[in-house]
DNA sequence: CTACACCCTGTAGTATACTACAAGGTCAAG
DNA sequence: CTTGACCTTGTAGTATACTACAGGGTGTAG
C-alpha cells in the first residue's frame, strides 16, 4: 500500500492533517493525486519530505529556508555553478550553527562539572557561549 | 558609561527598542532601573543577555527554551542534583541538534561533490539526512 | 441501508515573537 | 526657550506556522 490518505499520511509523517494541506498550499510538498472520491493519495516520498521539514524546523530553519534546502535536492537544478554557490553558502550557515551549538554545549558541560566538583553550581559563562 | 537608554541598548544588542520592552514584559531580562525622568537605564549584563537570546533563537530555541537555558546560569540554583539533571538533558538535546545539522551538512557537501565531478547535480539524499 | 469514521473546501482562530503607532513627557543644542 | 530627537505607556497590528471549525460528501461494516 504505497498511497496513503490524509489521516494516515499525517500520522506517518508526525504532523496534523491540516498541516499537510497547509504545506500543499505553501508549495512545500507536491499536490497529491486524488482518487475518484476526491480524496488525496500521498506517495511515500511526500511523507519523507514532510518528516524532513519537521526535523529541519527543530533545527531552527524557517519554512522558507527549508523550501530553499529542498529546492537544492529537487531536479531540475538549472545551473551547476549557481547551485554550488547556493549549496556552499548553506553549508557555511550550517557549520556556523554547529559551532555555536557546541559553544552552548561546552558552557553547559562546564557548569555541570563545576557543580559536580563543588557541590553547588556557580554562576557561569552560558551568556559568553554565543558572543561574537 | 555603563548604563544605556533604550535606543542605545537596543542598538548594542542588535534588536529593536520594542523588543527590549517585550523581553522585559516576558521576564526574559530584568526590569532596568529608571532615571528620575522615568527613562530605562540598561546595564551591560542585560545587553549581553539579549545578545545571547538573539543568537539562541537563530539556533532554533524558542523563547521558553531560552528562558530555561538562562535559568541554568542564574543564581540561585537551588538543588545541585536537580540542576545537573536539567543541564544534562539540555546538553543531550543540543548534541542531538548538532548531529542532525552535521547530517544535513554532509548531504549538502555530497551534492556539491557530485556536481563538481559530473558537471550537473544529481538528485541526492538531503531528505535522508534527517531520518530517524 | 444506516451508522460512523473519514475525507473535502473555505474560512477563522491561535501561539509565538515581535513591530508599529498614538498621545504625551524629557532633554540637549542653538 | 523652542525645536527635535529621544523616551514613556498602552494598545493594536503583522508574519509565521499552524489548528480548529462549519457544512457537506464518501466509504465501509454490520
Amino acid at each position: 500500500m504505497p498511497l496513503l490518505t490524509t489521516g494516515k499520511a499525517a500520522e506517518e509523517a508526525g504532523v496534523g492533517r491540516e498541516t499537510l494541506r497547509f504545506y500543499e498550499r505553501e508549495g512545500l510538498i507536491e499536490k497529491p493525486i486524488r482518487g475518484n472520491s476526491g480524496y488525496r493519495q500521498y506517495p511515500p516520498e511526500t511523507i519523507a519530505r514532510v518528516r524532513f521539514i519537521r526535523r529541519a524546523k527543530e533545527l531552527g530553519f524557517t519554512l522558507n529556508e527549508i523550501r530553499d534546502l529542498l529546492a537544492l535536492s529537487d531536479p531540475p537544478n538549472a545551473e551547476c555553478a549557481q547551485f554550488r554557490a547556493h549549496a556552499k553558502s548553506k553549508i557555511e550557515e550550517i557549520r556556523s550553527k554547529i559551532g555555536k551549538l557546541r559553544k552552548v554545549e561546552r558552557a553547559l558541560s562546564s557548569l555541570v562539572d563545576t557543580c559536580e566538583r563543588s557541590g553547588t553550581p556557580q554562576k557561569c559563562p552560558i551568556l559568553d557561549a554565543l558572543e561574537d
Side-chain angles (χ1 to χ4, degrees), chain A residues 3 31-35 39-43:
Chain A
L3 299 181
K31 283 179 198 297
I33 55 167
R34 305 290 186 112
Y39 287 17
R40 288 172 179 80
Q41 307 277 220
Y42 292 96

Side-chain angles (χ1 to χ4, degrees), chain A residues 18-32 40 42 46 49-50 52-53 62-75:
Chain A
E18 311 292 329
T19 303
L20 289 179
R21 289 214 305 130
F22 175 71
Y23 285 171
E24 186 182 330
R25 279 201 300 283
E26 294 294 304
L28 283 158
I29 57 175
E30 271 187 47
K31 283 179 198 297
R40 288 172 179 80
Y42 292 96
T46 298
R49 202 175 165 98
V50 173
F52 176 86
I53 296 170
T62 66
L63 289 186
N64 278 333
E65 288 170 331
I66 293 167
R67 202 193 308 279
D68 285 1
L69 230 35
L70 286 167
L72 288 173
S73 73
D74 280 346

Side-chain angles (χ1 to χ4, degrees), chain A residues 8-114:
Chain A
K8 273 285 172 193
E11 195 185 345
E12 284 292 306
V15 299
R17 280 182 200 79
E18 311 292 329
T19 303
L20 289 179
R21 289 214 305 130
F22 175 71
Y23 285 171
E24 186 182 330
R25 279 201 300 283
E26 294 294 304
L28 283 158
I29 57 175
E30 271 187 47
K31 283 179 198 297
I33 55 167
R34 305 290 186 112
N36 21 6
S37 63
Y39 287 17
R40 288 172 179 80
Q41 307 277 220
Y42 292 96
E45 304 87 69
T46 298
I47 314 296
R49 202 175 165 98
V50 173
R51 278 213 201 89
F52 176 86
I53 296 170
R54 212 188 72 217
R55 309 230 182 263
K57 254 166 37 62
E58 292 167 5
L59 298 176
F61 295 102
T62 66
L63 289 186
N64 278 333
E65 288 170 331
I66 293 167
R67 202 193 308 279
D68 285 1
L69 230 35
L70 286 167
L72 288 173
S73 73
D74 280 346
N77 273 314
E79 275 302 313
C80 175
Q82 197 184 338
F83 161 85
R84 275 198 319 239
H86 192 168
K88 281 178 170 172
S89 91
K90 269 292 163 195
I91 290 170
E92 258 327 293
E93 206 181 282
I94 288 169
R95 283 187 183 148
S96 145
K97 247 179 188 178
I98 290 173
K100 286 170 185 166
L101 280 170
R102 264 213 277 267
K103 283 175 185 169
V104 179
E105 189 209 324
R106 251 179 266 133
L108 281 173
S109 293
S110 108
L111 258 170
V112 170
D113 267 19
T114 315

